[in-house]
Amino acid sequence: MPRACTVCTHPGLEAINRALVEGTPNRRIASHYDVTERAVRNHKANHLPTKLVMAQSAEEVAQADDLLEQVRDLQAKALGILSKAEEAGELRTALSAIREARGNLELLAKLLGELDERPQLNILISPEWLELRAVIVGALEPYSDARGAVLKALESGGNGSA
Ligand SMILES: [Zn+2]
């Protein structure tokens, strides 16, 4: 019998989920809510999307929509930073914006995949991904080594059906 998740049973679950979606570091959440970092990590990987799908009440559904909306906002911000960094030629900033955007996208794909009944949601052909990809390629144009490495990493980190 697996032990109950200390995050799922936590009175602050809703706030924790929101913090996770906002990208608050697991360590900070763990210390703030007095749970283990491992529990937070496990909850984020395994329970957060399922929680959203299992939302039954109107209130829970509204919360799920709200989380999706937040991820979309974050994604728009990350893309904004990326294009500014691109204009300024700041490679480090661009790379960290790419990492942010990619994390958001993965979470978004996972949430949408869980919410959507259709069996396949291919991140690699989603409009968001194609847009991000185009921005990345453009941003890294002057840095061919970095560009090659980033693209390779992005491709190998897809959902494996490329
Ligand atoms: Zn949990």
Side-chain angles (χ1 to χ4, degrees):
M1 276 293 275
R3 280 183 304 152
C5 172
T6 52
V7 175
C8 283
T9 56
H10 198 283
L13 175 64
E14 194 194 322
I16 294 173
N17 283 343
R18 192 172 309 127
L20 283 171
V21 167
E22 285 167 358
T24 308
N26 294 351
R27 187 163 19 101
R28 201 189 303 164
I29 295 174
S31 72
H32 188 80
Y33 293 95
D34 198 25
V35 291
T36 64
E37 199 177 332
R38 186 177 170 167
V40 173
R41 200 168 47 235
N42 182 56
H43 174 79
K44 183 181 185 179
N46 300 314
H47 303 156
L48 181 58
T50 312
K51 263 277 166 304
L52 299 179
V53 184
M54 301 299 280
Q56 298 288 339
S57 70
E59 193 195 356
E60 282 173 333
V61 170
Q63 283 169 20
D65 283 350
D66 197 46
L67 288 176
L68 270 179
E69 204 47 53
Q70 284 181 51
V71 178
R72 289 201 170 103
D73 281 358
L74 287 171
Q75 181 67 343
K77 280 187 193 124
L79 291 176
I81 291 168
L82 184 53
S83 76
K84 284 206 188 92
E86 178 191 9
E87 282 162 23
E90 291 175 7
L91 181 59
R92 277 168 66 106
T93 311
L95 283 172
S96 82
I98 288 167
R99 267 196 302 273
E100 276 296 304
R102 180 160 200 279
N104 292 339
L105 200 63
E106 279 176 352
L107 184 54
L108 195 59
K110 205 168 176 184
L111 296 178
L112 290 172
E114 296 264 358
L115 291 168
D116 196 328
E117 289 300 294
R118 284 173 302 181
Q120 80 287 15
L121 179 95
N122 189 343
I123 186 176
L124 297 176
I125 59 166
S126 76
E128 287 92 349
W129 173 247
L130 294 175
E131 185 191 339
L132 174 59
R133 213 190 130 89
V135 176
I136 292 169
V137 172
L140 296 177
E141 196 69 61
Y143 314 97
S144 63
D145 285 356
R147 194 177 97 162
V150 168
L151 286 177
K152 203 168 159 191
L154 291 173
E155 269 155 24
S156 68
N159 64 2
S161 62

Short mmCIF file of all heavy atoms in Angstrom, two decimals, residues 78-134:
data_model
loop_
_atom_site.label_atom_id
_atom_site.label_comp_id
_atom_site.label_asym_id
_atom_site.label_seq_id
_atom_site.Cartn_x
_atom_site.Cartn_y
_atom_site.Cartn_z
N ALA A 78 7.51 34.45 -20.42
CA ALA A 78 8.81 33.85 -20.78
C ALA A 78 9.15 34.16 -22.24
O ALA A 78 10.29 34.50 -22.57
CB ALA A 78 8.79 32.34 -20.54
N LEU A 79 8.15 34.06 -23.11
CA LEU A 79 8.39 34.35 -24.52
C LEU A 79 8.72 35.82 -24.73
O LEU A 79 9.54 36.17 -25.58
CB LEU A 79 7.17 33.95 -25.37
CG LEU A 79 6.93 32.44 -25.49
CD1 LEU A 79 5.66 32.16 -26.27
CD2 LEU A 79 8.11 31.73 -26.13
N GLY A 80 8.09 36.69 -23.94
CA GLY A 80 8.39 38.11 -24.00
C GLY A 80 9.84 38.39 -23.62
O GLY A 80 10.54 39.15 -24.29
N ILE A 81 10.28 37.75 -22.53
CA ILE A 81 11.67 37.91 -22.07
C ILE A 81 12.63 37.39 -23.14
O ILE A 81 13.64 38.02 -23.46
CB ILE A 81 11.89 37.15 -20.74
CG1 ILE A 81 11.12 37.84 -19.62
CG2 ILE A 81 13.38 37.08 -20.39
CD1 ILE A 81 11.03 37.03 -18.35
N LEU A 82 12.25 36.27 -23.71
CA LEU A 82 13.10 35.68 -24.74
C LEU A 82 13.28 36.62 -25.92
O LEU A 82 14.39 36.82 -26.42
CB LEU A 82 12.48 34.35 -25.21
CG LEU A 82 13.27 33.52 -26.21
CD1 LEU A 82 14.68 33.28 -25.72
CD2 LEU A 82 12.56 32.19 -26.44
N SER A 83 12.19 37.25 -26.35
CA SER A 83 12.36 38.10 -27.53
C SER A 83 13.13 39.38 -27.18
O SER A 83 13.90 39.88 -28.00
CB SER A 83 11.03 38.36 -28.25
OG SER A 83 10.28 39.28 -27.55
N LYS A 84 12.99 39.87 -25.93
CA LYS A 84 13.79 41.03 -25.53
C LYS A 84 15.27 40.65 -25.46
O LYS A 84 16.14 41.41 -25.91
CB LYS A 84 13.36 41.53 -24.15
CG LYS A 84 12.07 42.32 -24.19
CD LYS A 84 12.01 43.32 -23.02
CE LYS A 84 10.64 43.98 -22.94
NZ LYS A 84 9.71 43.25 -22.04
N ALA A 85 15.55 39.48 -24.89
CA ALA A 85 16.93 39.01 -24.78
C ALA A 85 17.53 38.83 -26.17
O ALA A 85 18.70 39.12 -26.40
CB ALA A 85 16.98 37.69 -24.01
N GLU A 86 16.68 38.37 -27.06
CA GLU A 86 17.12 38.17 -28.45
C GLU A 86 17.54 39.51 -29.05
O GLU A 86 18.63 39.63 -29.63
CB GLU A 86 15.98 37.57 -29.25
CG GLU A 86 16.30 37.37 -30.71
CD GLU A 86 15.05 37.02 -31.51
OE1 GLU A 86 13.94 37.12 -30.93
OE2 GLU A 86 15.18 36.68 -32.68
N GLU A 87 16.70 40.53 -28.87
CA GLU A 87 17.02 41.85 -29.41
C GLU A 87 18.31 42.40 -28.81
O GLU A 87 19.10 43.05 -29.49
CB GLU A 87 15.88 42.83 -29.13
CG GLU A 87 14.71 42.65 -30.06
CD GLU A 87 13.43 43.32 -29.51
OE1 GLU A 87 13.56 44.24 -28.69
OE2 GLU A 87 12.33 42.88 -29.91
N ALA A 88 18.51 42.14 -27.51
CA ALA A 88 19.69 42.67 -26.83
C ALA A 88 20.92 41.79 -27.01
O ALA A 88 22.00 42.12 -26.58
CB ALA A 88 19.38 42.83 -25.34
N GLY A 89 20.73 40.63 -27.65
CA GLY A 89 21.84 39.71 -27.86
C GLY A 89 22.38 39.11 -26.56
O GLY A 89 23.55 38.80 -26.45
N GLU A 90 21.49 38.95 -25.57
CA GLU A 90 21.93 38.40 -24.29
C GLU A 90 21.66 36.90 -24.23
O GLU A 90 20.57 36.45 -23.91
CB GLU A 90 21.21 39.11 -23.14
CG GLU A 90 21.68 40.55 -23.00
CD GLU A 90 20.90 41.32 -21.95
OE1 GLU A 90 20.08 40.70 -21.25
OE2 GLU A 90 21.12 42.54 -21.87
N LEU A 91 22.70 36.16 -24.53
CA LEU A 91 22.56 34.71 -24.65
C LEU A 91 22.14 34.02 -23.35
O LEU A 91 21.28 33.16 -23.34
CB LEU A 91 23.89 34.12 -25.15
CG LEU A 91 23.90 32.60 -25.35
CD1 LEU A 91 22.85 32.17 -26.36
CD2 LEU A 91 25.27 32.13 -25.80
N ARG A 92 22.75 34.46 -22.25
CA ARG A 92 22.42 33.82 -20.97
C ARG A 92 20.95 34.01 -20.61
O ARG A 92 20.28 33.08 -20.17
CB ARG A 92 23.29 34.38 -19.84
CG ARG A 92 24.65 33.71 -19.76
CD ARG A 92 25.55 34.49 -18.83
NE ARG A 92 25.04 34.44 -17.46
CZ ARG A 92 25.61 33.71 -16.50
NH1 ARG A 92 26.67 33.01 -16.75
NH2 ARG A 92 25.11 33.72 -15.29
N THR A 93 20.48 35.23 -20.78
CA THR A 93 19.09 35.51 -20.48
C THR A 93 18.18 34.72 -21.42
O THR A 93 17.17 34.15 -21.00
CB THR A 93 18.80 37.02 -20.63
OG1 THR A 93 19.79 37.73 -19.92
CG2 THR A 93 17.43 37.37 -20.08
N ALA A 94 18.57 34.69 -22.69
CA ALA A 94 17.77 33.95 -23.66
C ALA A 94 17.68 32.48 -23.27
O ALA A 94 16.60 31.88 -23.29
CB ALA A 94 18.36 34.10 -25.07
N LEU A 95 18.81 31.91 -22.89
CA LEU A 95 18.81 30.49 -22.52
C LEU A 95 17.95 30.23 -21.30
O LEU A 95 17.23 29.23 -21.24
CB LEU A 95 20.24 30.01 -22.26
CG LEU A 95 21.08 29.76 -23.51
CD1 LEU A 95 22.52 29.47 -23.13
CD2 LEU A 95 20.50 28.62 -24.33
N SER A 96 17.99 31.13 -20.32
CA SER A 96 17.17 30.86 -19.14
C SER A 96 15.70 31.07 -19.46
O SER A 96 14.85 30.36 -18.93
CB SER A 96 17.67 31.62 -17.91
OG SER A 96 17.19 32.93 -17.93
N ALA A 97 15.39 32.00 -20.35
CA ALA A 97 13.99 32.17 -20.78
C ALA A 97 13.52 30.93 -21.53
O ALA A 97 12.37 30.49 -21.39
CB ALA A 97 13.84 33.42 -21.65
N ILE A 98 14.41 30.35 -22.31
CA ILE A 98 14.07 29.13 -23.04
C ILE A 98 13.76 28.00 -22.06
O ILE A 98 12.78 27.27 -22.21
CB ILE A 98 15.21 28.71 -23.99
CG1 ILE A 98 15.28 29.67 -25.18
CG2 ILE A 98 15.02 27.28 -24.48
CD1 ILE A 98 16.54 29.54 -26.00
N ARG A 99 14.60 27.90 -21.03
CA ARG A 99 14.35 26.85 -20.03
C ARG A 99 13.01 27.05 -19.35
O ARG A 99 12.24 26.10 -19.17
CB ARG A 99 15.46 26.86 -18.97
CG ARG A 99 16.58 25.89 -19.30
CD ARG A 99 17.44 25.63 -18.08
NE ARG A 99 18.02 26.85 -17.55
CZ ARG A 99 19.17 27.36 -17.99
NH1 ARG A 99 19.84 26.78 -18.95
NH2 ARG A 99 19.63 28.48 -17.47
N GLU A 100 12.73 28.29 -18.98
CA GLU A 100 11.44 28.62 -18.36
C GLU A 100 10.29 28.23 -19.28
O GLU A 100 9.34 27.57 -18.88
CB GLU A 100 11.34 30.14 -18.16
CG GLU A 100 11.96 30.66 -16.90
CD GLU A 100 11.26 30.10 -15.68
OE1 GLU A 100 10.05 30.29 -15.57
OE2 GLU A 100 11.94 29.46 -14.86
N ALA A 101 10.40 28.70 -20.52
CA ALA A 101 9.32 28.48 -21.48
C ALA A 101 9.11 26.99 -21.72
O ALA A 101 7.98 26.52 -21.82
CB ALA A 101 9.65 29.19 -22.79
N ARG A 102 10.22 26.27 -21.76
CA ARG A 102 10.10 24.85 -22.02
C ARG A 102 9.41 24.14 -20.85
O ARG A 102 8.56 23.27 -21.05
CB ARG A 102 11.48 24.25 -22.26
CG ARG A 102 11.42 22.80 -22.54
CD ARG A 102 12.67 22.29 -23.23
NE ARG A 102 12.34 21.05 -23.87
CZ ARG A 102 12.30 19.90 -23.22
NH1 ARG A 102 12.60 19.84 -21.96
NH2 ARG A 102 11.97 18.80 -23.87
N GLY A 103 9.77 24.54 -19.64
CA GLY A 103 9.13 23.95 -18.46
C GLY A 103 7.64 24.25 -18.44
O GLY A 103 6.83 23.38 -18.17
N ASN A 104 7.31 25.49 -18.76
CA ASN A 104 5.89 25.87 -18.81
C ASN A 104 5.14 25.04 -19.83
O ASN A 104 4.03 24.58 -19.61
CB ASN A 104 5.74 27.34 -19.21
CG ASN A 104 6.25 28.28 -18.14
OD1 ASN A 104 6.36 27.91 -16.98
ND2 ASN A 104 6.58 29.49 -18.54
N LEU A 105 5.79 24.89 -20.97
CA LEU A 105 5.17 24.17 -22.07
C LEU A 105 4.93 22.71 -21.72
O LEU A 105 3.89 22.14 -22.03
CB LEU A 105 6.08 24.28 -23.29
CG LEU A 105 5.42 24.02 -24.63
CD1 LEU A 105 4.34 25.05 -24.88
CD2 LEU A 105 6.46 24.06 -25.72
N GLU A 106 5.92 22.13 -21.04
CA GLU A 106 5.76 20.73 -20.64
C GLU A 106 4.59 20.58 -19.68
O GLU A 106 3.80 19.66 -19.80
CB GLU A 106 7.04 20.24 -19.97
CG GLU A 106 8.08 19.83 -20.96
CD GLU A 106 9.38 19.43 -20.29
OE1 GLU A 106 9.51 19.62 -19.06
OE2 GLU A 106 10.25 18.95 -21.00
N LEU A 107 4.53 21.51 -18.74
CA LEU A 107 3.44 21.45 -17.77
C LEU A 107 2.10 21.67 -18.47
O LEU A 107 1.13 20.96 -18.23
CB LEU A 107 3.67 22.50 -16.68
CG LEU A 107 2.67 22.53 -15.52
CD1 LEU A 107 2.54 21.16 -14.86
CD2 LEU A 107 3.08 23.56 -14.49
N LEU A 108 2.09 22.62 -19.37
CA LEU A 108 0.88 22.92 -20.12
C LEU A 108 0.44 21.69 -20.93
O LEU A 108 -0.73 21.31 -20.92
CB LEU A 108 1.14 24.11 -21.05
CG LEU A 108 -0.05 24.81 -21.67
CD1 LEU A 108 -0.98 25.35 -20.60
CD2 LEU A 108 0.42 25.95 -22.56
N ALA A 109 1.39 21.10 -21.62
CA ALA A 109 1.08 19.92 -22.44
C ALA A 109 0.55 18.80 -21.56
O ALA A 109 -0.38 18.09 -21.91
CB ALA A 109 2.31 19.47 -23.21
N LYS A 110 1.17 18.66 -20.38
CA LYS A 110 0.75 17.61 -19.48
C LYS A 110 -0.66 17.87 -18.96
O LYS A 110 -1.50 16.98 -18.94
CB LYS A 110 1.74 17.54 -18.31
CG LYS A 110 1.79 16.20 -17.64
CD LYS A 110 2.97 16.13 -16.70
CE LYS A 110 2.96 14.80 -15.97
NZ LYS A 110 4.02 14.69 -14.98
N LEU A 111 -0.91 19.11 -18.59
CA LEU A 111 -2.24 19.48 -18.10
C LEU A 111 -3.28 19.29 -19.19
O LEU A 111 -4.33 18.70 -18.97
CB LEU A 111 -2.26 20.92 -17.60
CG LEU A 111 -1.37 21.26 -16.40
CD1 LEU A 111 -1.48 22.74 -16.08
CD2 LEU A 111 -1.76 20.44 -15.19
N LEU A 112 -2.97 19.80 -20.37
CA LEU A 112 -3.93 19.70 -21.47
C LEU A 112 -4.12 18.24 -21.87
O LEU A 112 -5.23 17.82 -22.18
CB LEU A 112 -3.45 20.52 -22.67
CG LEU A 112 -3.51 22.04 -22.48
CD1 LEU A 112 -2.82 22.73 -23.65
CD2 LEU A 112 -4.94 22.52 -22.35
N GLY A 113 -3.03 17.50 -21.87
CA GLY A 113 -3.10 16.08 -22.22
C GLY A 113 -3.98 15.33 -21.25
O GLY A 113 -4.74 14.44 -21.63
N GLU A 114 -3.89 15.72 -19.98
CA GLU A 114 -4.70 15.04 -18.97
C GLU A 114 -6.15 15.48 -19.05
O GLU A 114 -7.06 14.71 -18.80
CB GLU A 114 -4.17 15.37 -17.56
CG GLU A 114 -2.77 14.86 -17.30
CD GLU A 114 -2.79 13.50 -16.58
OE1 GLU A 114 -3.90 13.04 -16.28
OE2 GLU A 114 -1.73 12.95 -16.36
N LEU A 115 -6.34 16.74 -19.39
CA LEU A 115 -7.70 17.26 -19.44
C LEU A 115 -8.42 16.83 -20.71
O LEU A 115 -9.62 16.66 -20.74
CB LEU A 115 -7.69 18.79 -19.37
CG LEU A 115 -7.26 19.38 -18.02
CD1 LEU A 115 -7.00 20.87 -18.16
CD2 LEU A 115 -8.31 19.13 -16.96
N ASP A 116 -7.64 16.66 -21.76
CA ASP A 116 -8.19 16.31 -23.05
C ASP A 116 -8.31 14.79 -23.17
O ASP A 116 -7.38 14.07 -22.88
CB ASP A 116 -7.24 16.86 -24.13
CG ASP A 116 -7.91 16.89 -25.48
OD1 ASP A 116 -8.76 16.02 -25.74
OD2 ASP A 116 -7.57 17.77 -26.27
N GLU A 117 -9.46 14.33 -23.61
CA GLU A 117 -9.67 12.90 -23.71
C GLU A 117 -8.91 12.27 -24.86
O GLU A 117 -8.64 11.08 -24.86
CB GLU A 117 -11.17 12.59 -23.89
CG GLU A 117 -11.98 12.84 -22.64
CD GLU A 117 -11.50 11.96 -21.48
OE1 GLU A 117 -11.65 10.74 -21.58
OE2 GLU A 117 -10.96 12.51 -20.50
N ARG A 118 -8.58 13.10 -25.86
CA ARG A 118 -7.90 12.53 -27.02
C ARG A 118 -6.59 11.88 -26.59
O ARG A 118 -5.86 12.43 -25.78
CB ARG A 118 -7.62 13.60 -28.07
CG ARG A 118 -8.86 13.98 -28.87
CD ARG A 118 -8.58 15.15 -29.76
NE ARG A 118 -8.13 16.30 -28.97
CZ ARG A 118 -7.84 17.47 -29.51
NH1 ARG A 118 -7.91 17.63 -30.80
NH2 ARG A 118 -7.46 18.47 -28.75
N PRO A 119 -6.31 10.72 -27.16
CA PRO A 119 -5.16 9.96 -26.67
C PRO A 119 -3.81 10.60 -26.96
O PRO A 119 -2.91 10.50 -26.15
CB PRO A 119 -5.27 8.62 -27.40
CG PRO A 119 -6.12 8.90 -28.59
CD PRO A 119 -7.05 10.02 -28.18
N GLN A 120 -3.65 11.28 -28.07
CA GLN A 120 -2.33 11.82 -28.35
C GLN A 120 -2.31 13.34 -28.34
O GLN A 120 -3.11 13.98 -28.99
CB GLN A 120 -1.78 11.27 -29.68
CG GLN A 120 -2.31 11.93 -30.94
CD GLN A 120 -3.75 11.54 -31.26
OE1 GLN A 120 -4.45 11.02 -30.42
NE2 GLN A 120 -4.19 11.81 -32.47
N LEU A 121 -1.42 13.87 -27.53
CA LEU A 121 -1.18 15.30 -27.59
C LEU A 121 0.31 15.39 -27.84
O LEU A 121 1.11 15.19 -26.94
CB LEU A 121 -1.55 16.00 -26.29
CG LEU A 121 -1.26 17.51 -26.38
CD1 LEU A 121 -2.50 18.28 -26.79
CD2 LEU A 121 -0.73 18.05 -25.08
N ASN A 122 0.67 15.66 -29.05
CA ASN A 122 2.08 15.70 -29.39
C ASN A 122 2.62 17.10 -29.22
O ASN A 122 2.31 18.00 -29.98
CB ASN A 122 2.27 15.21 -30.83
CG ASN A 122 3.74 15.01 -31.15
OD1 ASN A 122 4.61 15.52 -30.44
ND2 ASN A 122 4.01 14.28 -32.19
N ILE A 123 3.45 17.26 -28.19
CA ILE A 123 4.03 18.57 -27.88
C ILE A 123 4.78 19.12 -29.09
O ILE A 123 4.80 20.33 -29.33
CB ILE A 123 4.95 18.48 -26.65
CG1 ILE A 123 5.44 19.86 -26.22
CG2 ILE A 123 6.13 17.55 -26.89
CD1 ILE A 123 6.28 19.84 -24.96
N LEU A 124 5.37 18.24 -29.88
CA LEU A 124 6.22 18.69 -30.97
C LEU A 124 5.45 19.30 -32.14
O LEU A 124 6.02 19.96 -32.99
CB LEU A 124 7.10 17.54 -31.47
CG LEU A 124 8.08 17.01 -30.41
CD1 LEU A 124 8.83 15.82 -30.94
CD2 LEU A 124 9.04 18.09 -29.95
N ILE A 125 4.14 19.07 -32.20
CA ILE A 125 3.37 19.69 -33.28
C ILE A 125 2.36 20.70 -32.75
O ILE A 125 1.55 21.22 -33.49
CB ILE A 125 2.64 18.65 -34.17
CG1 ILE A 125 1.69 17.81 -33.33
CG2 ILE A 125 3.64 17.79 -34.92
CD1 ILE A 125 0.71 17.01 -34.16
N SER A 126 2.42 20.98 -31.45
CA SER A 126 1.49 21.95 -30.90
C SER A 126 1.89 23.35 -31.38
O SER A 126 3.07 23.64 -31.55
CB SER A 126 1.46 21.88 -29.38
OG SER A 126 2.61 22.49 -28.85
N PRO A 127 0.90 24.22 -31.62
CA PRO A 127 1.22 25.58 -32.09
C PRO A 127 2.16 26.31 -31.14
O PRO A 127 3.05 27.03 -31.58
CB PRO A 127 -0.13 26.27 -32.14
CG PRO A 127 -1.15 25.21 -32.10
CD PRO A 127 -0.53 24.01 -31.47
N GLU A 128 1.96 26.10 -29.82
CA GLU A 128 2.81 26.78 -28.84
C GLU A 128 4.26 26.36 -29.03
O GLU A 128 5.18 27.17 -28.94
CB GLU A 128 2.39 26.46 -27.41
CG GLU A 128 1.10 27.12 -26.97
CD GLU A 128 -0.12 26.24 -27.23
OE1 GLU A 128 0.02 25.22 -27.94
OE2 GLU A 128 -1.20 26.58 -26.73
N TRP A 129 4.44 25.06 -29.24
CA TRP A 129 5.79 24.54 -29.39
C TRP A 129 6.44 25.08 -30.66
O TRP A 129 7.58 25.53 -30.65
CB TRP A 129 5.78 23.02 -29.39
CG TRP A 129 7.13 22.46 -29.72
CD1 TRP A 129 7.50 21.78 -30.82
CD2 TRP A 129 8.32 22.59 -28.92
NE1 TRP A 129 8.83 21.47 -30.77
CE2 TRP A 129 9.36 21.97 -29.62
CE3 TRP A 129 8.59 23.19 -27.69
CZ2 TRP A 129 10.65 21.90 -29.13
CZ3 TRP A 129 9.88 23.13 -27.20
CH2 TRP A 129 10.90 22.49 -27.92
N LEU A 130 5.71 25.06 -31.74
CA LEU A 130 6.27 25.53 -33.00
C LEU A 130 6.64 27.00 -32.91
O LEU A 130 7.68 27.42 -33.42
CB LEU A 130 5.28 25.28 -34.15
CG LEU A 130 5.03 23.79 -34.43
CD1 LEU A 130 3.95 23.61 -35.49
CD2 LEU A 130 6.31 23.09 -34.86
N GLU A 131 5.81 27.78 -32.21
CA GLU A 131 6.10 29.19 -32.03
C GLU A 131 7.37 29.37 -31.21
O GLU A 131 8.28 30.12 -31.58
CB GLU A 131 4.92 29.86 -31.31
CG GLU A 131 5.07 31.36 -31.17
CD GLU A 131 4.02 31.95 -30.24
OE1 GLU A 131 2.97 31.31 -30.04
OE2 GLU A 131 4.27 33.04 -29.71
N LEU A 132 7.44 28.63 -30.11
CA LEU A 132 8.61 28.72 -29.24
C LEU A 132 9.87 28.29 -30.00
O LEU A 132 10.92 28.92 -29.93
CB LEU A 132 8.42 27.83 -28.01
CG LEU A 132 9.63 27.70 -27.06
CD1 LEU A 132 10.04 29.07 -26.53
CD2 LEU A 132 9.31 26.75 -25.92
N ARG A 133 9.73 27.22 -30.74
CA ARG A 133 10.85 26.69 -31.49
C ARG A 133 11.39 27.73 -32.48
O ARG A 133 12.60 27.93 -32.60
CB ARG A 133 10.38 25.46 -32.25
CG ARG A 133 11.43 24.41 -32.41
CD ARG A 133 10.93 23.37 -33.38
NE ARG A 133 11.96 23.18 -34.36
CZ ARG A 133 12.94 22.31 -34.21
NH1 ARG A 133 12.98 21.53 -33.17
NH2 ARG A 133 13.89 22.21 -35.11
N ALA A 134 10.47 28.38 -33.16
CA ALA A 134 10.88 29.41 -34.13
C ALA A 134 11.61 30.54 -33.42
O ALA A 134 12.63 31.06 -33.93
CB ALA A 134 9.65 29.95 -34.86
#
